[in-house]
């Protein structure tokens, strides 16, 4: 998240599938698709990402913890599939519980646990779901060193704000760093199917697929694989 976003207001909005998201008026940017927040997250990150991983233990890196929706849905899916997950998520400016408690999932104990647990420390949310919320600036050396220590990863959720809103998050240098710190066969998924993003992913070594987007939402998304 950009440094100046810490002062921005965030408003709760209901999306088309009944799930809530947050909206930043100053940026004219939503945290999720208004066509369906949960539908979007499930399709892009769970169906096209997590469900493609066949191993019993999966190490996930999320670029943008945000509202915690991706982490929460991953926890629930991992329990259903009896997978063990080590989940790492970066966020430079975490949202407070006061901000996110108006979302649909705030009554769920696991969702609350994801938000109130300590940062920069591995926490066992469940026996088979360990979370490390990492408060770090990816442009700094601490991120590079930390990534090497915490990786390699099997799955990356690239869920930064759109390139036109947060251009510093979408660059060859970052994608190369992620590629290097992934296991062979590792998968990166993102909602952004722009040609410039596809070309950047390809330039650092990924094999990139255009896939159908979520129902009622974006026409296409991207999935990148390290072979």
């Amino acid at each position: 998240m950009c440094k100046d976003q810490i002062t921005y207001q965030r408003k709760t909005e209901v999306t088309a599938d009944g799930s809530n998201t947050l909206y930043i008026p100053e940026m004219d940017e939503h945290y999720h698709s208004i066509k369906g927040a949960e539908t979007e997250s499930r399709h892009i990150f769970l169906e096209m990402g997590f469900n493609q991983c066949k191993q019993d233990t999966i190490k996930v890196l999320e670029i943008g913890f945000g509202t915690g929706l991706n982490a929460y849905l991953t926890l629930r899916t991992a329990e259903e599939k009896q997978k063990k997950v080590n989940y790492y998520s970066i966020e430079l400016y975490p949202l407070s519980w006061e901000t996110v408690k108006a979302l649909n999932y705030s009554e769920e104990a696991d969702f609350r646990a994801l938000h109130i647990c300590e940062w920069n420390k591995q926490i066992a949310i469940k026996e088979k779901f360990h979370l490390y919320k990492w408060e770090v600036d990816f442009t700094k050396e601490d991120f590079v060193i930390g990534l090497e220590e915490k990786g390699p990863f099997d799955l990356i959720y690239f869920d930064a704000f759109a390139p036109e809103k947060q251009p510093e998050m979408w660059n060859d240098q970052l994608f190369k760093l992620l590629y290097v710190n992934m296991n062979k066969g590792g998968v990166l998924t993102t909602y952004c199917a722009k040609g410039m993003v596809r070309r950047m992913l390809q330039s650092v070594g990924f094999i990139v697929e255009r896939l159908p987007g979520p129902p009622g939402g974006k026409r296409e998304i991207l999935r990148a694989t390290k072979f």
Side-chain angles (χ1 to χ4, degrees), residues 1-10 22-31 160-170 191:
M1 191 173 284
C2 297
K3 190 170 184 179
D4 59 359
Q5 289 174 24
I6 192 170
T7 61
Y8 286 173
Q9 294 183 350
R10 293 168 178 85
L22 295 177
Y23 173 64
I24 303 176
E26 294 92 337
M27 292 179 65
D28 188 24
E29 181 76 337
H30 292 85
Y31 276 71
F161 285 142
E164 60 268 24
K165 306 291 184 177
Q166 200 172 36
E168 72 280 4
M169 293 293 292
W170 305 79
Y191 66 87

Side-chain angles (χ1 to χ4, degrees), residues 88-138:
Y88 296 81
S89 186
I90 72 167
E91 182 65 57
L92 184 55
Y93 291 107
L95 297 172
S96 68
W97 176 247
E98 291 300 312
T99 299
V100 297
K101 71 178 183 180
L103 300 177
N104 299 68
Y105 322 95
S106 60
E107 298 300 318
E108 298 286 340
D110 291 340
F111 184 75
R112 179 180 173 85
L114 293 171
H115 280 278
I116 66 173
C117 71
E118 188 175 348
W119 284 78
N120 304 309
K121 181 179 180 181
Q122 191 172 57
I123 305 294
I125 304 297
K126 294 284 191 178
E127 181 181 354
K128 291 188 175 182
F129 189 93
H130 292 187
L131 173 67
Y132 190 106
K133 294 188 300 185
W134 190 9
E135 192 173 359
V136 66
D137 184 342
F138 90 92

